[in-house]
Amino acid sequence: MCGIVGIKYNNYTHNGLEIYEALLSIQHRGQDGAGISYMDNNKLEMIKGKGLIYNLFSYDDLKKMNGSVFLGHTRYKTNNIINSFQPFHLKSEKLEISFCHNGNITNVNKIEIELNNKYKIKNNNKESDSFILFQLIFYYLNSEVKKSNTISVSELNDYLCHIVEGSYSIIMHIKNFGLIVLKDKNGIRPLVYGKNKNNDCLVSSESCSLINVVDYKIIREVEPGEIIYFKNNSEEETHKCALSLFTPCLFEYIYFSRLDSIVNNISIYKCRFMLGELLGNKLLEKKLNIDFIIPTPETSRVYAYGISKVMGLPIQECIIKNRYINRTFIIENKETIGENIKRKFSVISEVVRNKNVLLVDDSIVRGNTSKSIIKLLKDSGVKQVIFASAAPKIFNTNKFGIHIEQKEELITYKNTTNEKIAKSINCDSIYYNDLNEVINTVHELNNSINNMEISMFQN
């Protein structure tokens, strides 16, 4: 899972301030590194590297950028490839492309064989799945442009839908042709576009980029298996693969997407509030002795609102977050998570002392973060901690872009019952939302979603 953004301006050049704002709004989708590319006087320029967006691009850098097409990427690391920061760039005698990808390709070996057999391209096992996918697209289009000086988006789309397995949302700029966006046949990762009054186009992983950039209005989500070609003459060409089957990732609604985003016509805020109500109804049946609800900052707050509405319990904001510490879920070295929790959170002891509390979080993956927070609460004098997860139990790794490398890492691997899970994180009891009920809630909000990517929740 990464964040990607593209802006295509019509008939004039622009600086990099808008692409920066659009990219900054999806910083939550990746904190390992970032990059921006742009065309300046028909020459591609690029700044990219390790770190957070605001550390990589100065105001002066952004003001000096001068282009009509910009691409941006923020990286969430799911492999050990060093310096695999995007956008990527490839160039031949007749073709030049810059490229951004969000997702994870699961049949890299097959694509490498195709690259070798068809285009004589060999890789050395040091390239990311994103770059290998980019090579496939580049050399396919390069051979097409050599023959006819044109690009057939329908043929490219059908080719990718047949040969590539996994998840991909892609934005790429082809010099002298235009901007192309496309999504895998299952539409696993989100991608949305909008336009302003000048007919400029902004494409992003999430709608919050458009909401926060002045004067862009959302047009629609790119559909599963769809390719859209925004030509340099402002015309658009679209094509949808016949193999498409709408199967978005459930975890986007539970955790990844930003609270103010609209994903596949579903308000993330509304969805999470309803999942909180769902969890509240389950807890209400248990007749638990709870003084108040504590949301784990910050992604669980809306779930707590939903629970509070159903159970009639107050919410206490007694866990204080240091906003300058990054997401612990994405920390590469799992041994340092406990240390980072101490830096990231503190508890207001006088509020929680001798209380029975309901601790709410969006999910529990490995349990390291939850265990550390519960320890902070109990060290602060809490009498009883009941833990509630808005997400269903996570049983499996995810091969579509979520960084869970091994099934053995998960808290559910060794702990086969709720009682064992509760004991392992030192809470008094634990409750989860039911998978089928969560799916039904999403379906209620958009009845065109009949299938969901739920492999990480299946035992």
Side-chain angles (χ1 to χ4, degrees), residues 375-393:
K375 185 177 188 304
L376 285 176
L377 286 168
K378 293 206 168 182
D379 287 348
S380 298
V382 168
K383 188 193 303 183
Q384 184 183 48
V385 178
I386 298 162
F387 188 95
S389 167
K393 281 186 183 178

Side-chain angles (χ1 to χ4, degrees), residues 20 60 77 103 116 124 169 234 245 252 257 301 304 330 387:
Y20 173 82
D60 289 339
K77 187 176 178 181
N116 187 24
N124 57 9
S169 287
S234 296
L245 177 64
E252 288 282 355
S257 296
R301 188 169 286 120
I330 302 175
F387 188 95

Side-chain angles (χ1 to χ4, degrees), residues 240-279:
K240 191 170 180 180
C241 174
L243 298 175
S244 61
L245 177 64
F246 192 23
T247 315
C249 174
L250 180 58
F251 214 42
E252 288 282 355
Y253 299 95
I254 293 171
Y255 177 77
F256 278 130
S257 296
R258 209 171 89 163
L259 201 55
D260 56 344
S261 283
I262 307 293
V263 178
N264 297 311
N265 296 318
I266 292 176
S267 161
I268 295 299
Y269 182 96
K270 184 174 182 180
C271 181
R272 290 180 187 169
F273 189 90
M274 290 175 66
L275 293 180
E277 291 179 308
L278 189 68
L279 190 52

Side-chain angles (χ1 to χ4, degrees), residues 393 395 411-421 459:
K393 281 186 183 178
F395 291 103
I411 195 168
T412 54
Y413 183 74
K414 291 181 179 178
N415 302 288
T416 54
T417 65
N418 284 3
E419 290 75 19
K420 288 182 179 180
I421 294 170
N459 195 351

Side-chain angles (χ1 to χ4, degrees), residues 113-314:
I113 292 169
E114 176 85 354
L115 283 167
N116 187 24
N117 292 344
K118 201 168 184 178
Y119 306 110
K120 310 304 178 190
I121 302 298
K122 291 185 179 181
N123 288 293
N124 57 9
N125 297 321
K126 294 182 179 179
E127 305 293 355
S128 69
D129 62 308
S130 296
F131 188 72
I132 290 167
L133 173 62
F134 179 33
Q135 286 179 310
L136 182 70
I137 292 170
F138 178 83
Y139 289 106
Y140 175 89
L141 291 176
N142 190 54
S143 63
E144 187 174 297
V145 170
K146 275 184 178 179
K147 289 185 287 187
S148 61
N149 283 317
T150 60
I151 289 174
S152 169
V153 294
S154 59
E155 290 180 8
L156 170 64
N157 197 34
D158 287 341
Y159 175 67
L160 293 177
C161 282
H162 279 87
I163 199 169
V164 179
E165 295 174 11
S167 62
Y168 59 84
S169 287
I170 294 169
I171 307 173
M172 58 184 179
H173 174 235
I174 306 176
K175 183 179 175 180
N176 299 325
F177 286 92
L179 192 72
I180 289 181
V181 302
L182 61 158
K183 192 185 281 190
D184 66 79
K185 57 182 176 258
N186 297 117
I188 293 172
R189 296 279 160 235
L191 194 63
V192 64
Y193 76 96
K195 293 187 177 183
N196 63 13
K197 62 184 179 182
N198 298 316
N199 210 34
D200 304 325
C201 180
L202 191 157
V203 188
S204 176
S205 292
E206 291 187 38
S207 65
C208 59
S209 293
L210 287 85
I211 294 167
N212 293 325
V213 177
V214 179
D215 289 336
Y216 283 88
K217 304 298 181 185
I218 297 170
I219 302 297
R220 64 176 175 88
E221 191 90 14
V222 181
E223 295 182 10
E226 183 181 28
I227 187 168
I228 307 175
Y229 180 12
F230 300 98
K231 298 181 181 180
N232 285 340
N233 61 7
S234 296
E235 292 181 1
E236 294 177 20
E237 182 180 340
T238 67
H239 174 266
K240 191 170 180 180
C241 174
L243 298 175
S244 61
L245 177 64
F246 192 23
T247 315
C249 174
L250 180 58
F251 214 42
E252 288 282 355
Y253 299 95
I254 293 171
Y255 177 77
F256 278 130
S257 296
R258 209 171 89 163
L259 201 55
D260 56 344
S261 283
I262 307 293
V263 178
N264 297 311
N265 296 318
I266 292 176
S267 161
I268 295 299
Y269 182 96
K270 184 174 182 180
C271 181
R272 290 180 187 169
F273 189 90
M274 290 175 66
L275 293 180
E277 291 179 308
L278 189 68
L279 190 52
N281 282 313
K282 176 178 292 241
L283 294 166
L284 199 60
E285 294 173 357
K286 304 297 179 181
K287 302 187 185 308
L288 301 165
N289 180 20
I290 299 169
D291 292 305
F292 51 77
I293 301 165
I294 303 177
T296 303
E298 300 210 355
T299 53
S300 63
R301 188 169 286 120
V302 177
Y303 295 118
Y305 293 158
I307 294 171
S308 176
K309 179 186 174 184
V310 169
M311 299 187 74
L313 290 171

